[in-house]
Each structure stands twice: as C-alpha cells, then as structure tokens.
Amino acid sequence: MGKHEEFEELRPLLFSIAYRILGSVGEAEDAVQETWLRFAASATRPTSVKAFLSATVTRLSIDVLRSARVRREEYVGPWFPEPLLSDPYEDPARSAELADSVSMAALLLLERLSPLERAVFVLREVFAFGFDEIAAAVERSEPACRQLLVRARRHMAAGRPRFAADRRERQELATRFFGALRDGDVGGLRRLLAADVQLVGDGGGKAPQLSRAVVGADNVARLLGSVFPSLLRAEVSYEPREINGQPGAVFHDRAGRVFQTLVIDVLDGRIQAVRAVTNPDKLGHLGPVADAWAVNEEVKRARRQAG
C-alpha cells in the first residue's frame, strides 16, 4: 500500500480528531491537508503510520486552536462550532462516545479546556489512545498527560449532563418539534420544551441574530411560533438533518442557498436548548450560502402582510 492509500484510509480518523479539537470544519480540513503534506514529504517511513499521522494532526490542531481562542474572545455574540452533518469516522465499539463527543453541547464544554487539555481529553476519552501515544502526540510526559486528563475530566464533569436520550426518542421529539414549528403551534411547542430551555443564535455579527439568549418555555415557544410561519411564507424551506449527532435541520432560501442550521438538545424527554447558526462563514461547507440580511427583510415583509 502506498503513502496516499495509507493516508486516505486514516483520513476520517484524522478529520474527526481535528474537528473535536478545533470545532471548525474548515480548520480541521486544513489541518488534515497539512498533515498529508508533511507525511508525503517525509523521507523515512514511521514505525506506525497511524501514530505519526495522529500526532501530526493533533499538534497542528493545538497550534491552530491557540490562535483561534484569541479570535473567539473577540467574537460578536455567542460562538458555536461549525455545524457537522456527518462524522466520517466510525467505530462500532465506541459509537456512543463518538456521538456524544461531537454534539454542540459537548464541543461547547470542550471550549472550557486549554488546548493541551482538550487534545488529551479527545485522544483518550473519545478515541481511546494509549498514554504513550498521547504523550508523543502532545510532546509531554505520560504523567503530565495523566494530570491534564484529570483536569479536563473535572472541567467537563462540572458542565451539563450527557444527552442520554436514545435515537428514537430524539427523532420522535424532533418530528413533533418541527411539525409544531411549521404550524406555528405555540402550545405544542411549549409542551416539548424544558422549563429552562434556551434559544441561542450564532450570527457572528455577519447575519441577523438574537441580541441575547431567549430563556424559558413560554418565551421560546412564543418566539418560535411567530417567526417560523413567516419564514415559510417567505419561501424559506427546511430539510431535517442530523447535525453534530443531534436532531436538527438545514434551512434554505427560495433559491436553495443555505440560510441557517438549527439543532436541538434533548434530555429527559424535553428540549433543553435550541441553537441556530446563521454566520455565513460557518455554513459554506454545506453549499452556496444565502444573504441572511435579505432573507430577514423578506421575513419581515411576510409578517407585515400576514398582519
């Protein structure tokens, strides 16, 4: 097997590592591409190609994350990871860990960690790397990596609980949720939402977004129940999709361009959070991107016409 074939076989794993460390599809793809360039240029064959490539993409991702964290501190409004429609890496033995670790909620918790803590946590808890492999990847001793993992686990445990709803329960709830959205059924929405549910949007200052999170079942139900019928009247369509391993949808304008994504977090039979991403910089990997400001004006006109 040649270098290119070996690399392509491991590409899904490399992307999945990089995405969990970075929370960005574009940056993860760049890290994977740079990993290939370094592997292709290497004059010697590593003892373990998987270990070499995993270590390389991890180090590159750590470096990118260090600079990205500065930009995120200056970000306009809430910052969310770039929506991921499908994780290319599959491992039946770790399917639960993989699905949980790619959710928006989990990735936002990972933002609490330092770049090194995040890399160690991802390699150990998600992909079950040995401490010898992790130490080589992050260029720290094994005892240091164990300490990094202890700190990372403590930070993660202090966050929200895992979203333990099974796939069928999530999908049934999502079907009812989007049906109530389509119909503007405020009462139906309210029954699906947790009492302390949050509706939050990420526009990055480059698309219309909420000035602050909307909190509470009544407030969120009323807002969603009034806005979404107007979206449909403005010929905005939506396609139910699994996003970051959770139920969601991709919204398109009348020309078929991506307008936003919406994803819901489910726990204990209720929707705990609704997260929208409208920042066009985070949607380009999903297809041509709509002018969100123009769509917003069309929605306003639709609401006025509806009285």
Side-chain angles (χ1 to χ4, degrees):
M1 184 183 295
K3 274 191 172 183
H4 186 262
E5 289 77 15
E6 288 180 301
F7 180 83
E8 288 303 318
E9 189 173 274
L10 290 166
R11 181 188 287 273
L13 171 63
L14 303 178
F15 174 85
S16 294
I17 291 171
Y19 178 76
R20 284 166 174 80
I21 294 174
L22 293 167
S24 164
V25 173
E27 290 173 341
E29 290 175 341
D30 289 345
V32 171
Q33 180 61 21
E34 179 61 26
T35 298
W36 158 248
L37 293 175
R38 296 190 182 190
F39 182 47
S42 175
T44 59
R45 178 179 176 81
T47 303
S48 167
V49 173
K50 177 183 175 182
F52 174 83
L53 294 177
S54 299
T56 301
V57 83
T58 296
R59 291 186 202 122
L60 288 168
S61 298
I62 289 171
D63 289 343
V64 173
L65 182 59
R66 283 175 174 145
S67 60
R69 288 171 76 90
V70 175
R71 296 194 301 274
R72 290 173 193 178
E73 289 173 359
E74 301 170 350
Y75 196 79
V76 178
W79 178 92
F80 293 159
E82 289 183 11
L84 183 68
L85 297 187
S86 62
D87 185 359
Y89 180 71
E90 295 180 0
D91 180 354
R94 303 190 65 78
S95 58
E97 292 91 339
L98 289 169
D100 182 71
S101 65
V102 83
S103 71
M104 286 272 184
L107 291 172
L108 288 171
L109 282 178
L110 285 170
E111 287 291 303
R112 301 182 178 191
L113 310 182
S114 72
L116 278 176
E117 288 171 347
R118 186 164 179 164
V120 169
F121 185 88
V122 166
L123 292 176
R124 181 64 180 176
E125 297 293 282
V126 181
F127 297 101
F129 276 58
F131 278 104
D132 57 336
E133 298 171 296
I134 297 171
V138 302
E139 300 177 306
R140 295 293 189 277
S141 68
E142 289 189 38
C145 289
R146 292 180 187 276
Q147 285 301 310
L148 286 165
L149 181 63
V150 168
R151 290 202 298 270
R153 283 173 172 168
R154 186 165 58 242
H155 287 306
M156 295 295 284
R160 294 175 62 182
R162 287 174 176 246
F163 292 90
D166 63 39
R167 183 177 294 271
R168 171 180 281 186
E169 179 186 1
R170 291 200 310 260
Q171 289 307 130
E172 288 178 350
L173 194 60
T175 299
R176 292 163 58 196
F177 173 75
F178 284 107
L181 274 184
R182 181 189 61 240
D183 299 337
D185 181 358
V186 175
L189 287 168
R190 189 183 296 114
R191 288 189 290 272
L192 301 175
L193 302 174
D196 59 348
V197 64
Q198 292 192 18
L199 169 63
V200 192
D202 174 354
K206 299 183 178 183
Q209 65 187 76
L210 298 167
S211 58
R212 60 181 181 277
V214 179
V215 181
D218 287 340
N219 294 330
V220 172
R222 283 198 300 270
L223 179 59
L224 292 177
S226 65
V227 168
F228 275 82
S230 298
L231 281 172
L232 298 181
R233 284 192 291 270
E235 298 184 45
V236 171
S237 61
Y238 67 91
E239 174 190 6
R241 294 292 301 266
E242 190 170 88
I243 299 175
N244 289 82
Q246 303 295 317
V250 179
F251 289 74
H252 299 86
D253 70 2
R254 65 181 65 188
R257 296 168 298 199
V258 179
F259 165 57
Q260 73 171 7
T261 62
L262 196 73
V263 65
I264 61 176
D265 290 336
V266 177
L267 181 66
D268 295 333
R270 291 289 184 273
I271 294 170
Q272 305 290 321
V274 182
R275 296 187 176 92
V277 175
T278 54
N279 184 342
D281 294 345
K282 297 185 176 184
L283 302 175
H285 61 288
L286 303 179
V289 180
D291 180 342
W293 299 103
V295 173
N296 192 52
E297 289 303 313
E298 292 178 10
V299 171
K300 288 180 179 178
R301 283 196 295 272
R303 295 185 72 174
R304 289 195 295 267
Q305 291 169 0

